[in-house]
Amino acid sequence: MTRTPELAGHGFGLCRRPPMVSTMQTGIYFLSEPACAGQPDRSSGGSGSGRRGIGSVLSGMRTLNRNRQLLWFTLLAGLVLAGNAIGQGALGYITWTLLSSEAEWLVLNFIIEFFTLFLLVFLLAGIVHSISSKKDGPALFFEGLCGAKKYTKTIVAWSGILALTGMLIFSIYFYSPDWLPPDHPFLQILGTLFGTILNPLMEFPFNPTLTPYTFFDPSRVGGIPLAFWVYPSGIMQALIFSEVNLLLFILTPFVVPFIVLEKKTLREAVAGSFNLMKKTWDEVVACAVFLGVIVFCAFLTYQLVQAASGIVSPFNTVTFPPPVTWITLALIYNLALITIAFVVATVAGIAMLDLYTSAKSRQVAVESTEPAGVVI
């Protein structure tokens, strides 16, 4: 029986082997109304943690609604990931045409991921700076980006660490079939994780023309044009790296606020993020799950599009391509779904800042209530 990683790796061309703001005395900036800050406590545990996590998402939605300029993050992040997909497609074309080694493939992939992550982290720093520095009126996103320039060196270093970590996770997953048994739980879990997202993408409406994947077989005589490498190979690989990057951002949500708001070094920011994460992990999980449910519910609407069109099984309709009307509607639907996903990503960045300011506010409140030490 063929193992899932092999199907994902070779079937999608992912493996190159064939087949407002107030300033405290501490210098930390806090939002004037952090969502569900609650009473000062010494930990984030308790029944209020989930409520604070969901409240941060709702607060992020309100902030985005009042500061429409932050939607520039949505647009620019979408363009960054579109560039990532194009880069992955070009990389697939180069590796098959020039027959480069796997080491060269990994290096080129790391370069693509590094620039992608650098741009995303820089955009996130722009959101943090624009919201934390606004006084009267809406947050100005491009002013936030200008303010984030002073942290470029730290952002570059952090992007490099994220890219290296992401490549390590990617390599473990796609090369683990070589040394793990096929029934190993690690393969089963990751196979289910990636397969759940990738398999429907070969169906209508995500594959509007229902083109069989065999059309993209690069072993055909004469090969295939570069444009066809972007879909499905480039988009599929960009999506898998996006899942890995998302995991890394969830595990280190407060690094950018520590860098921008407290002007910490990278080592201090990472250590501070992990320490704060230990106190607020349940809030972060509640926030991430709530956002994930929103995206997943939006994603499931593709079944309604399939039912309305009558195009449920691509294997039964592949010889009869859908009419132009349904192809056009599918493209519009895909654009709307992508827009929803990136708007949610923007809300996630704002919610992350809200969780940070809420946790810091509680921490300062606790420290201010502790009795001062007695000097004898």
Side-chain angles (χ1 to χ4, degrees):
M1 182 175 181
T2 306
R3 286 176 282 183
T4 303
E6 293 175 332
L7 288 174
H10 302 308
F12 293 129
L14 303 178
C15 177
R16 72 166 308 276
R17 293 180 294 180
M20 171 211 35
V21 182
S22 61
T23 307
M24 309 297 288
Q25 293 181 350
T26 56
I28 305 172
Y29 296 91
F30 295 96
L31 298 179
S32 60
E33 297 179 357
C36 304
Q39 299 297 322
D41 54 13
R42 296 180 183 276
S43 65
S44 64
S47 59
S49 299
R51 187 166 60 251
R52 285 194 294 266
I54 296 175
S56 67
V57 176
L58 301 179
S59 176
M61 293 178 179
R62 292 192 296 268
T63 300
L64 182 60
N65 184 51
R66 293 192 300 263
N67 301 272
R68 303 292 179 85
Q69 271 216 3
L70 297 180
L71 288 173
W72 280 106
F73 174 91
T74 305
L75 175 61
L76 295 176
L79 293 176
V80 168
L81 291 189
N84 181 274
I86 294 173
Q88 295 292 352
L91 177 59
Y93 178 83
I94 292 173
T95 53
W96 278 99
T97 303
L98 302 180
L99 300 177
S100 58
S101 66
E102 292 192 24
E104 293 172 324
W105 181 86
L106 289 172
V107 170
L108 292 175
N109 226 322
F110 168 79
I111 294 174
I112 294 174
E113 284 306 299
F114 169 76
F115 281 106
T116 299
L117 285 165
F118 169 75
L119 292 174
L120 291 177
V121 174
F122 189 78
L123 291 174
L124 183 59
I127 275 193
V128 172
H129 195 277
S130 61
I131 294 178
S132 63
S133 61
K134 81 182 184 74
K135 296 180 180 178
D136 298 322
L140 302 178
F141 179 66
F142 288 104
E143 287 188 6
L145 288 181
C146 292
K149 288 181 180 179
K150 64 183 72 173
Y151 312 108
T152 300
K153 291 183 179 179
T154 308
I155 292 174
V156 167
W158 179 231
S159 302
I161 293 174
L162 289 176
L164 283 172
T165 306
M167 287 301 301
L168 178 61
I169 296 175
F170 182 88
S171 300
I172 290 175
Y173 173 67
F174 282 101
Y175 293 100
S176 57
D178 294 335
W179 47 272
L180 287 179
D183 57 346
H184 194 279
F186 178 78
L187 300 181
Q188 302 300 322
I189 293 173
L190 288 183
T192 301
L193 175 64
F194 289 122
T196 301
I197 300 298
L198 295 178
N199 292 339
L201 295 181
M202 296 307 296
E203 303 178 7
F204 187 87
F206 305 111
N207 185 2
T209 59
L210 295 175
T211 305
Y213 185 78
T214 53
F215 174 79
F216 301 95
D217 182 6
S219 63
R220 298 185 314 152
V221 177
I224 59 176
L226 173 60
F228 289 117
W229 276 99
V230 178
Y231 181 84
S233 178
I235 292 179
M236 294 296 185
Q237 187 150 335
L239 285 174
I240 285 189
F241 273 111
S242 295
E243 290 186 45
V244 174
N245 295 338
L246 179 61
L247 174 63
L248 295 176
F249 279 122
I250 292 176
L251 294 177
T252 58
F254 306 123
V255 172
V256 173
F258 269 105
I259 293 173
V260 176
L261 302 183
E262 300 193 36
K263 299 176 176 57
K264 299 292 187 180
T265 64
L266 180 57
R267 177 179 297 181
E268 294 171 338
V270 173
S273 178
F274 279 114
N275 289 333
L276 199 59
M277 183 68 171
K278 289 190 296 184
K279 302 176 183 178
T280 62
W281 66 268
D282 40 3
E283 298 175 36
V284 174
V285 170
C287 175
V289 170
F290 187 53
L291 290 169
V293 169
I294 295 175
V295 174
F296 188 65
C297 289
F299 175 76
L300 288 180
T301 58
Y302 84 91
Q303 296 179 338
L304 298 177
V305 178
Q306 284 186 345
S309 64
I311 308 172
V312 178
S313 175
F315 303 103
N316 295 335
T317 58
V318 71
T319 56
F320 303 97
V324 175
T325 301
W326 278 110
I327 293 178
T328 303
L329 290 175
L331 293 175
I332 295 174
Y333 169 81
N334 291 335
L335 180 60
L337 193 61
I338 291 172
T339 301
I340 291 173
F342 281 105
V343 169
V344 170
T346 306
V347 172
I350 302 172
M352 171 271 301
L353 178 59
D354 188 90
L355 287 175
Y356 169 84
T357 55
S358 176
K360 280 293 184 177
S361 296
R362 296 196 303 270
Q363 181 179 336
V364 171
V366 169
E367 291 175 354
S368 64
T369 58
E370 290 180 349
V374 180
V375 179
I376 301 178

